[in-house]
Amino acid sequence: CKKLFDAEGAHRFRRHATIDTLEHHLDHNLKWLTDAQKEELKEMKAAGKPKSEIRQKVKSFYEHLPEDKKPEVQGILRDGCREM
């Protein structure tokens, strides 16, 4: 997200902090994940893993997608970055 957007994005994040929950992102920006992948992210959060580690896991899931799915998912992720 930081690479895609400038400081205005940080301001937007503060204004919409109530939507910065894993559940919200799973329902909106990460809806492309399998149920097993979503469960793994929930377990990471419950175990107290830092957000950076959870983001890295999402990136790993994205990198393992078939090439034909990546453009669609990239658009969903980009919209999620704007939201944050």
Side-chain angles (χ1 to χ4, degrees):
C1 291
K2 292 177 184 177
K3 292 179 183 178
L4 295 175
F5 303 99
D6 59 12
E8 182 181 339
H11 176 71
R12 182 176 296 230
F13 173 75
R14 285 189 298 275
R15 195 172 49 204
H16 296 289
T18 57
I19 61 172
D20 188 33
T21 64
L22 181 60
E23 286 300 322
H24 172 81
H25 292 298
L26 289 173
D27 291 340
H28 295 88
N29 314 320
L30 301 175
K31 58 188 173 186
W32 53 273
L33 294 172
T34 66
D35 289 340
Q37 290 169 330
K38 289 177 183 179
E39 190 60 37
E40 188 173 345
L41 294 178
K42 288 177 186 178
E43 289 171 6
M44 290 176 72
K45 180 169 173 62
K49 300 291 184 183
K51 285 184 180 182
S52 60
E53 197 171 318
I54 294 172
R55 280 191 295 268
Q56 187 62 37
K57 182 57 86 170
V58 171
K59 184 178 177 182
S60 172
F61 291 149
Y62 173 79
E63 290 170 352
H64 288 94
L65 282 174
E67 290 300 318
D68 63 324
K69 298 283 186 188
K70 286 185 178 181
E72 177 185 349
V73 171
Q74 188 176 20
I76 294 169
L77 290 173
R78 185 176 298 120
D79 291 344
C81 287
R82 287 184 190 130
E83 189 176 272
M84 289 171 46

